[in-house]
Amino acid sequence: MTLQILSYEFLGPIPLSKWGPPMDEVLYLLLKRSKDTFEILYVGQSGKTTEADFFTKNEHFKCWIQNAGSESNLYLSIYPMWNSEPEKRERLVNKIVSKYAPICNEKNKTDPGES
């Protein structure tokens, strides 16, 4: 199964609990499932990793759980970008954030009331 986001085909989604390393350079989507649809909660990018706790130690994990309702409702889709530079992946992340405004990406922005 794949998800079409902008003109890119993301692999998955799969339950986040089914993911395991290793992972090459990718863009990744964290999604929540509502019946037969998926909502993007967060989009990020990564270089190669072999860390089994890559997602659970992410600083946005709490936001994902709060918005998905439980870890069992969290899903992962990836877009492989083998041998890509972080800047290239980040440009694509920004395009997706601009189009879909995932709630957990929005919370990364500094609140004007905070100092």
Side-chain angles (χ1 to χ4, degrees):
M1 185 169 153
T2 60
L3 286 178
Q4 186 83 21
I5 304 296
L6 300 176
S7 61
Y8 304 93
E9 283 199 16
F10 282 74
L11 304 175
I14 63 165
L16 183 60
S17 61
K18 303 273 186 202
W19 177 82
M23 182 169 66
D24 284 324
E25 296 90 347
V26 297
L27 248 61
Y28 60 87
L29 305 174
L30 272 295
L31 311 132
K32 75 173 180 180
R33 186 175 191 159
S34 301
K35 297 183 183 173
D36 292 333
T37 63
F38 290 93
E39 178 185 336
I40 301 172
L41 298 176
Y42 183 80
V43 59
Q45 60 92 11
S46 172
K48 291 183 180 188
T49 186
T50 57
E51 298 173 45
D53 60 353
F54 177 81
F55 290 106
T56 56
K57 75 173 187 178
N58 187 292
E59 64 183 311
H60 308 291
F61 186 71
K62 184 177 178 182
C63 180
W64 305 341
I65 296 293
Q66 286 174 337
N67 285 279
S70 69
E71 190 171 346
S72 64
N73 197 35
L74 270 179
Y75 289 78
L76 173 69
S77 283
I78 62 166
Y79 178 68
M81 295 184 71
W82 297 284
N83 302 314
S84 62
E85 296 298 320
E87 297 79 16
K88 182 176 182 179
R89 296 190 303 270
E90 199 60 41
R91 281 193 299 274
L92 186 48
V93 165
N94 292 335
K95 282 184 185 179
I96 295 170
V97 168
S98 293
K99 170 82 174 170
Y100 294 94
I103 187 88
C104 294
N105 286 90
E106 292 299 310
K107 293 186 181 217
N108 299 339
K109 295 180 180 173
T110 305
D111 182 347
E114 293 179 356
S115 43

